[in-house]
Amino acid sequence: MTVYDELVARGLIAQVTDEEEIKELINNGKAVFYIGFDPTADSLHVGHFMALCLMKRLQMAGNKPIALIGQGTAMIGDPSGRTDMRQMLTKETLEHNAECFKKQMSRFIDFSEGKALMVNNADWLLDLNYVDVLREVGAHFSVNRMLTAECYKQRMEKGLSFLEFNYMIMQSYDFYALFQKYGCNLQFGGDDQWSNMLGGTELIRRKLGKDAYAMTITLLLNSEGKKMGKTQSGAVWLDPNKTTPYDFYQYWRNVGDADVLKCLRMLTFLPLEQIDEMDSWEGSQLNTAKEILAFELTKLVHGEEEAQKAQNAARALFGGGGDDANMPTCELTEEDMTDGAVDILTLLVKAELAATKSEARRNVVQGGVSVDGNKVEDFKMTLTAQEIGEGIVLRRGKKKYCKVVMK
């Protein structure tokens, strides 16, 4: 199976231009490709993780990745998938976020000896002259055509600012600049970026002639990754200080039955033959598949030791054996006690399983709280220091839990 065929088999490819030429580049290690990352936070999340896995996979096949830090484009904000305008970030914040991205990306991509590049589009976008952009770049874009782009449709309903309208032009200019500076001949992005990416390809061909060698490919993966990167409690980050390895493991351990094989194919580096054997798995076997998925992805992001710790802690919680020493822990002191006991609402807030006592009370009343597997029936319930002892497992809902101990 060729490299390109494997990408297709893993469900990564949504749309392409010039498929035969793209196959030639990727299969023979001739692709110099880029994926952009706007530094709008101080950590990458699992939506970015999808793209990083692809970059790692293609680099292993001999192709050269360019990780583009979009500090320049982030100063405007991508309107794709948005119903409101993005928060404007300061230059200092964007620079800090970009530095955080660089450290995290190095876990996935080998930047040594010119095997990959990391560049920042602020280096060329921030020095552009407005009139020159209008004359040299804007002349190649049709406003009527731009307004039909999927990335603008939602924003058009509430009002698309002229600032955001320029995002497509800036992203297109990125490909043009990368093509000229580094010989970048291929760009990747989510299927929601298709119009922006085509703009870059067209700009190169219009500016440099029809023979200019630049192509685009979009991945169903990236846009799904943006959805995967958000949960009810917020984003799932790659930074262990924002999402612990244990919580990261549990996020993937709790994916839906219908998604587990898709995630295994798209995100892990397990052989397709091994994953295909899981197609007939049902019931408890699907839980085994989820454990495999969670372990492999946690190992990729946080290392094998942290992945093993997370798996042991999860198995301890769910009764499958293992060590609960690595479970998220909340330590209580005598100061947390009133007359030698602590009420369940205070405990839920202290353990960060509920934001307020009102929320904690609602969780108890709705039957979503348990202590060591026993449902809490009364929101006035209290626990003594002796009952807590060396540890109890406090749980809220299916996915939130904490080991509570006395210090």
Side-chain angles (χ1 to χ4, degrees), residues 139-159:
H140 299 290
F141 286 81
S142 162
V143 171
N144 290 347
R145 185 175 176 182
M146 290 173 71
L147 290 176
T148 65
E150 191 64 34
C151 61
Y152 290 137
K153 285 184 179 179
Q154 284 185 306
R155 296 292 292 116
M156 287 289 289
E157 295 177 6
K158 288 194 173 183

Side-chain angles (χ1 to χ4, degrees), residues 84-101:
D84 57 355
M85 189 169 168
R86 292 182 186 270
Q87 179 183 358
M88 299 295 288
L89 301 177
T90 66
K91 183 178 180 180
E92 292 74 21
T93 298
L94 290 170
E95 288 176 350
H96 169 73
N97 293 349
E99 286 300 314
C100 294
F101 277 24

Side-chain angles (χ1 to χ4, degrees), residues 37-89:
F37 302 82
D38 280 359
T40 53
D42 60 1
S43 172
L44 298 163
H45 56 66
V46 297
H48 299 118
F49 173 49
M50 311 289 181
L52 292 170
C53 288
L54 172 75
M55 297 176 84
K56 180 180 178 71
R57 199 182 302 278
L58 290 177
Q59 187 180 47
M60 290 168 62
N63 298 286
K64 185 175 182 177
I66 299 176
L68 175 65
I69 302 296
Q71 186 176 333
T73 39
M75 296 187 75
I76 287 182
D78 184 0
S80 301
R82 303 282 298 189
T83 56
D84 57 355
M85 189 169 168
R86 292 182 186 270
Q87 179 183 358
M88 299 295 288
L89 301 177

Side-chain angles (χ1 to χ4, degrees), residues 269-280:
F269 289 81
L270 297 175
L272 281 171
E273 295 79 8
Q274 180 181 346
I275 300 171
D276 290 342
E277 291 175 359
M278 303 179 194
D279 269 332
S280 60

Side-chain angles (χ1 to χ4, degrees), residues 99-339:
E99 286 300 314
C100 294
F101 277 24
K102 288 179 183 179
K103 293 177 183 178
Q104 292 180 338
M105 286 180 182
S106 295
R107 288 190 61 89
F108 295 83
I109 304 166
D110 181 4
F111 290 99
S112 67
E113 301 175 354
K115 295 175 184 175
L117 297 175
M118 184 176 293
V119 298
N120 192 323
N121 65 10
D123 293 343
W124 55 82
L125 290 180
L126 299 189
D127 291 333
L128 290 175
N129 177 281
Y130 184 63
V131 173
D132 289 343
V133 171
L134 291 178
R135 290 174 58 86
E136 301 300 322
V137 181
H140 299 290
F141 286 81
S142 162
V143 171
N144 290 347
R145 185 175 176 182
M146 290 173 71
L147 290 176
T148 65
E150 191 64 34
C151 61
Y152 290 137
K153 285 184 179 179
Q154 284 185 306
R155 296 292 292 116
M156 287 289 289
E157 295 177 6
K158 288 194 173 183
L160 176 70
S161 71
F162 184 70
L163 179 73
E164 295 170 292
F165 186 64
N166 280 270
Y167 189 90
M168 181 186 291
I169 294 176
M170 293 180 72
Q171 183 173 328
S172 299
Y173 191 88
D174 281 344
F175 195 19
Y176 172 71
L178 291 170
F179 178 86
Q180 290 192 301
K181 290 175 179 288
Y182 307 108
C184 180
N185 52 27
L186 190 58
Q187 60 178 329
F188 286 77
D191 58 353
D192 59 338
Q193 295 291 314
W194 184 242
S195 297
N196 293 345
M197 295 167 66
L198 286 179
T201 299
E202 287 300 313
L203 179 61
I204 291 173
R205 291 177 177 174
R206 287 173 180 269
K207 290 282 289 180
L208 304 177
K210 293 183 179 179
D211 293 332
Y213 206 50
M215 290 159 284
T216 59
I217 184 170
T218 68
L219 308 177
L220 183 59
L221 176 60
N222 283 6
S223 55
E224 289 198 358
K226 289 181 180 179
K227 299 172 186 176
M228 287 182 177
K230 300 277 187 180
T231 67
Q232 291 180 353
S233 59
V236 178
W237 306 100
L238 305 193
D239 184 340
N241 295 316
K242 296 170 76 72
T243 298
T244 67
Y246 178 80
D247 287 335
F248 187 86
Y249 177 95
Q250 282 301 117
Y251 172 78
W252 295 108
R253 173 62 180 78
N254 289 313
V255 299
D257 290 354
D259 294 328
V260 60
L261 290 182
K262 177 171 66 177
C263 290
L264 280 165
R265 288 190 177 95
M266 286 182 166
L267 304 178
T268 75
F269 289 81
L270 297 175
L272 281 171
E273 295 79 8
Q274 180 181 346
I275 300 171
D276 290 342
E277 291 175 359
M278 303 179 194
D279 269 332
S280 60
W281 287 11
E282 298 177 352
S284 62
Q285 287 181 308
L286 282 178
N287 289 330
T288 300
K290 292 177 185 180
E291 279 198 341
I292 294 171
L293 172 68
F295 183 85
E296 290 295 323
L297 298 189
T298 307
K299 180 175 71 173
L300 186 60
V301 176
H302 299 295
E304 187 165 2
E305 182 179 354
E306 291 297 329
Q308 193 62 62
K309 287 180 181 179
Q311 186 170 77
N312 288 343
R315 286 176 174 175
L317 177 67
F318 290 102
D323 180 9
D324 67 357
N326 297 293
M327 190 181 298
T329 301
C330 170
E331 292 186 339
L332 298 182
T333 67
E334 291 296 331
E335 295 178 355
D336 295 309
M337 299 291 178
T338 302
D339 297 328

